[in-house]
Amino acid sequence: MPTLQVPKTIEPANASTLTFIKENAQLSPSKAALKAPRNANIDIPFAINQIAGRQIAQQKLPKWASCNEVIYPAHISMEQCSSQSTAQYKANVAKELLNKLNSENFSSTLVDLTGGFGVDCTIMSEVFDSAICIEQQNELSSIAHHNMNALGITNVKCYNNNSLDALKNIPKSTIIYVDPARRNKQGSRTYAIEDCTPNVLDLKNQLLTKAEIVIIKLSPMLDWHKTVSDFSGNVEAVHIVAHSNECKELLIILSNSQHTKVPVYCANDDQITVVQATYNTSTNQVSIQPESNVLNNKEENNKKYENLDINNWQEWSQYVYEPNAAIMKAGCFSLLETQYNIQQISANSHVYVSEEYYSEFPGKIWKIENICSMNKREIKQTFDDITHANIVTRNFPIPVEALRKKLNLQDGGNTRIIATTDSNKNHILIRAVAAPK
């Protein structure tokens, strides 16, 4: 049985290469390459890769960018690695799980079976007593090991093994984290769990034998309902993680127990909304169920809107709401109506309106200035006084760019135009501005 292998030490770059990197750090990688002298003492490919990597890290990984000793991997690894913000979210999740396990009474351990560049393991290790970072690619494993030292991370051990061999050799741990590779041998993207490496569906029992909790990062393209069903009751919680209103990852929390109540955390930056899903052990089906407080809200909502007919929503609506990316992925559209006293203008549009302002809504809230049809005269009257607008289409037959051209507006400014279809199948344009908080 293969043992855990310590990664090879990376030889430091020479002084000439480091000077070149420092002097050209602000240039684009292509311009820096053009400035490269024909000097055998400068490792040009390495230098250009470091310049490119640090520039990406300044936005994506500020902790790494602030350390001059960090070494960056190939561009594709920088693209595929987690951002610091999503890694921090996973660390927060791990901390909550440790609290539930009363980790103060024992030494908590993390094993990252697919360490890659080491971003997730570096940030998550901060909430554990110790951690192990496994990576099968030689160079990535060495880089992760080097960077742990450069960043002053002392409680992580790095090993250069594939995840299957490592799983046989690691000690029993508190939490195992795994991010299956979503590319096949030909380098093409894959999304289905069984097409990723490792196949965590096949490894489920082995993983849960080695750890109390397993956190699995999956593609945000996956249907989370099916994913919960695929793991046959072992899913304790689901996290849909978005950043800057873009869905980044789907986190599945597994444990050895059978779970019929599965909370789904819809996280978009500092907006976190929790909805309750139910797993039926007999049918292996998953559904979203409203809780009692939501049902009470529904009764109040019905009373509140008894004189506000959705067919005449344009007459009474003052605010328009767009759910954030995590909510859109969760698909809990009807639940939002009852929970926040708002109404969808159409079942397929996922655009909500209200007469009063509900600040807790998980998404963007706009104050309606005007509403018009696609009639040319109405369009001219509604938009003649502006030159710029941010346009979004929801359940609308015209793409954004084509609509922008039709309206003769440039991108930008403070005006929001939501192009959608209402319950009467009318194509309408909502002109709005950001609602005051």
Side-chain angles (χ1 to χ4, degrees):
M1 182 184 296
T3 57
L4 296 178
Q5 301 293 321
V6 176
K8 295 180 179 178
T9 301
I10 294 178
E11 293 298 325
N14 62 43
S16 298
T17 301
L18 294 175
T19 299
F20 179 83
I21 293 171
K22 184 177 181 180
E23 290 177 348
N24 297 281
Q26 303 307 315
L27 293 180
S28 68
S30 57
K31 288 184 178 179
L34 292 174
K35 286 190 64 177
R38 297 181 180 275
N39 184 337
N41 290 326
I42 300 178
D43 185 342
I44 299 302
F46 174 82
I48 299 305
N49 192 67
Q50 296 313 298
I51 291 170
R54 183 170 295 182
Q55 289 176 3
I56 293 172
Q58 285 171 350
Q59 297 297 321
K60 189 175 184 179
L61 304 167
K63 181 182 180 75
W64 279 254
S66 65
C67 178
N68 292 329
E69 288 75 35
V70 159
I71 292 177
Y72 298 98
H75 182 72
I76 189 169
S77 295
M78 289 296 293
E79 282 187 331
Q80 293 176 349
C81 74
S82 295
S83 67
Q84 188 170 324
S85 62
T86 57
Q88 185 61 58
Y89 182 85
K90 287 187 278 286
N92 295 342
V93 170
K95 185 176 181 179
E96 289 297 318
L97 292 168
L98 290 174
N99 288 339
K100 289 182 181 179
L101 293 172
N102 294 317
S103 62
E104 292 181 358
N105 299 325
F106 58 86
S107 180
S108 60
T109 55
L110 167 72
V111 174
D112 184 344
L113 278 179
T114 50
F117 176 38
V119 173
D120 284 324
C121 191
T122 297
I123 301 297
M124 292 175 72
S125 69
E126 295 175 1
V127 302
F128 289 84
D129 294 311
S130 63
I132 292 174
C133 183
I134 307 292
E135 171 51 44
Q136 66 175 349
Q137 294 186 45
N138 297 342
E139 183 179 19
L140 275 181
S141 183
S142 294
I143 289 175
H145 177 63
H146 170 91
N147 289 342
M148 297 284 182
N149 292 327
L151 294 167
I153 308 297
T154 59
N155 64 331
V156 180
K157 293 182 178 179
C158 294
Y159 295 104
N160 182 200
N161 292 81
N162 70 57
S163 54
L164 297 179
D165 289 338
L167 190 57
K168 298 171 185 176
N169 284 273
I170 58 173
K172 186 172 176 61
S173 306
T174 315
I175 292 179
I176 287 177
Y177 171 72
V178 57
D179 175 10
R182 298 195 286 271
R183 290 187 184 271
N184 59 24
K185 293 180 180 178
Q186 289 73 42
S188 301
R189 259 184 203 282
T190 59
Y191 298 106
I193 300 174
E194 55 270 26
D195 294 333
C196 297
T197 305
N199 181 346
V200 287
L201 283 176
D202 284 349
L203 292 176
K204 181 185 77 170
N205 292 336
Q206 288 176 257
L207 290 166
L208 289 172
T209 298
K210 287 284 189 173
E212 299 286 335
I213 298 288
V214 177
I215 302 176
I216 303 173
K217 174 184 170 182
L218 297 169
S219 167
M221 300 291 290
L222 290 178
D223 179 350
W224 68 266
H225 301 80
K226 182 179 184 303
T227 302
V228 172
S229 296
D230 286 344
F231 283 102
S232 306
N234 288 115
V235 176
E236 180 177 309
V238 174
H239 293 259
I240 300 170
V241 185
H243 178 59
S244 298
N245 213 30
E246 181 181 350
C247 216
K248 294 293 186 180
E249 52 197 48
L250 179 66
L251 297 180
I252 303 297
I253 314 301
L254 302 183
S255 69
N256 274 302
S257 304
Q258 282 284 299
H259 303 278
T260 57
K261 299 295 184 182
V262 183
V264 180
Y265 296 81
C266 305
N268 181 66
D269 300 328
D270 59 348
Q271 291 182 331
I272 300 179
T273 303
V274 186
V275 297
Q276 190 70 46
T278 298
Y279 171 72
N280 189 312
T281 56
S282 300
T283 63
N284 198 34
Q285 296 297 309
V286 179
S287 59
I288 294 177
Q289 299 292 335
E291 297 180 2
S292 58
N293 66 316
V294 173
L295 292 173
N296 291 335
N297 282 346
K298 185 175 183 179
E299 293 176 3
E300 295 174 6
N301 195 31
N302 288 339
K303 291 178 182 178
K304 182 172 184 60
Y305 283 110
E306 59 187 6
N307 296 318
L308 300 180
D309 186 354
I310 193 62
N311 291 317
N312 300 317
W313 65 274
Q314 297 186 40
E315 297 177 9
W316 52 263
S317 57
Q318 298 293 318
Y319 298 93
V320 60
Y321 302 76
E322 295 180 80
N324 65 43
I327 293 289
M328 292 293 289
K329 178 65 182 177
C332 51
F333 303 116
S334 296
L335 199 61
L336 289 179
E337 289 188 290
T338 54
Q339 198 156 4
Y340 295 99
N341 286 337
I342 57 180
Q343 288 187 284
Q344 293 190 79
I345 65 173
S346 173
N348 296 320
S349 295
H350 312 315
V351 175
Y352 300 79
V353 290
S354 72
E355 187 178 36
E356 298 181 12
Y357 178 61
Y358 296 102
S359 62
E360 299 303 312
F361 178 81
K364 295 179 180 178
I365 310 174
W366 308 92
K367 180 73 173 69
I368 297 174
E369 291 188 325
N370 209 337
I371 303 166
C372 73
S373 71
M374 292 300 292
N375 176 277
K376 287 184 178 179
R377 182 174 59 83
E378 286 190 34
I379 288 175
K380 180 174 176 59
Q381 290 176 342
T382 304
F383 303 110
D384 197 43
D385 63 327
I386 59 172
T387 58
H388 293 71
N390 299 295
I391 301 175
V392 64
T393 58
R394 295 185 186 274
N395 188 27
F396 196 76
I398 305 175
V400 169
E401 288 308 313
L403 181 59
R404 187 183 306 285
K405 186 176 181 180
K406 183 178 181 66
L407 299 178
N408 193 28
L409 293 172
Q410 297 181 52
D411 189 25
N414 298 320
T415 301
R416 181 71 158 181
I417 298 175
I418 302 171
T420 188
T421 304
D422 69 11
S423 58
N424 296 315
K425 298 183 179 179
N426 297 315
H427 301 315
I428 50 96
L429 304 174
I430 303 173
R431 172 175 167 170
V433 293
K437 296 181 179 180

